[in-house]
Amino acid sequence: MRQTGLARHVGADAATMTRTIQRPEKAGFVPRVRFTSDRRSVLVEPTAASQALRRQAEDLWARL
């Protein structure tokens, strides 16, 4: 998803979304990649590590 779309989805502004993504990006959960066709746009994608963490969180939530 584009970072701007993600910000809109959660109701945050662009600056807040940038700061919010920095920690999981440093941990290797969500790389930010610039589009080659539009260098202003940034794509945020989950990594395999974040998908595994998501499954764990969903399993824990289901147990609750």
Side-chain angles (χ1 to χ4, degrees), residues 26-56:
K26 287 178 184 175
F29 291 118
V30 286
R32 286 187 288 181
V33 180
R34 292 221 177 262
F35 277 86
T36 54
S37 59
D38 181 0
R39 302 286 298 162
R40 297 170 298 170
S41 293
V42 177
L43 179 66
V44 180
E45 295 181 318
T47 62
S50 67
Q51 292 291 1
L53 187 60
R54 177 183 178 177
R55 283 189 289 280
Q56 289 176 357

Side-chain angles (χ1 to χ4, degrees), residues 1-18 21:
M1 176 179 277
R2 289 182 185 209
Q3 187 170 320
T4 54
L6 183 58
R8 246 186 325 237
H9 181 73
V10 299
D13 62 25
T16 300
M17 187 52 56
T18 297
I21 292 174

Side-chain angles (χ1 to χ4, degrees), residues 53-64:
L53 187 60
R54 177 183 178 177
R55 283 189 289 280
Q56 289 176 357
E58 288 172 345
D59 289 344
L60 288 171
W61 186 253
R63 286 188 221 162
L64 288 173

